[in-house]
Structure formats: C-alpha cells, structure tokens
Amino acid sequence: MTDAVGSIDMPDAQDELQESKKKSRKGGKRAKKGPLKRLALFYRQIVAELRKVVWPSRNQLTSYTTVVIFFVAIMIALVTLIDYGLSHAAKYVFG
C-alpha cells in the first residue's frame, strides 16, 4: 500500500524539487563577476533602457512646459490667497 501525497513518510515531489533548488544556488551570476564588470553591465543596461524611451517632440515639450508653468502659477496664487486670508483671520481673532 502507498502513502498519501504529502504524508510525513513520503515528501511531495515539489518539496524535493524546492530543496534541490536551494542547495544548487551558490551566488548565481553575481558571484562570477567582479564589481567593475557589474557596474559596466549596469550602465549598459541604463543606456539600453534610455534608447527605448519615446522622447517628446519640440512642440509637445513646449506645450507640456507651458501647462506646467500655468498650473504652478495657479497653485502659487491659490496658496497666496489662502495664506493672506488666514493671516487676516488670525489678526482679527488674536488681535
């Protein structure tokens, strides 16, 4: 008669597979390369990712910049008005 799957006497096949994976790892790819080679690989990957980026055209960049400056100006005006109102309210309440 055979034991049930996962019983104490007979471990699952997945348990054995996980144990063999844990034993076979000894540093992976990083242990084989020096720090300068890893740094060079890192910079090569950065350049490769930057080449994938879709950069905006001049017109898009101009319109995005205009929108951001306009939004920042509105937020500055809003915060200024709130600050002005709160300072007058504090003067009225305290003095």
Side-chain angles (χ1 to χ4, degrees), residues 66-82:
T66 304
V67 167
V68 167
I69 290 173
F70 184 70
F71 178 75
V72 168
I74 289 174
M75 293 307 295
I76 288 172
L78 183 67
V79 169
T80 302
L81 287 173
I82 292 171

Side-chain angles (χ1 to χ4, degrees), residues 19-58:
E19 287 178 14
S20 66
K21 281 184 181 178
K22 287 180 184 177
K23 291 178 184 176
S24 66
R25 274 192 187 167
K26 293 192 178 185
K29 292 181 181 178
R30 285 192 194 179
K32 296 176 185 176
K33 296 180 182 177
L36 291 178
K37 287 186 179 182
R38 288 192 313 224
L39 189 62
L41 174 65
F42 177 70
Y43 283 117
R44 275 184 275 148
Q45 289 174 346
I46 289 174
V47 171
E49 288 297 321
L50 284 175
R51 288 185 181 164
K52 294 178 187 178
V53 173
V54 178
W55 297 100
S57 67
R58 182 178 284 281

Side-chain angles (χ1 to χ4, degrees), residues 1-10:
M1 197 176 245
T2 60
D3 287 337
V5 175
S7 69
I8 295 173
D9 297 333
M10 299 286 291

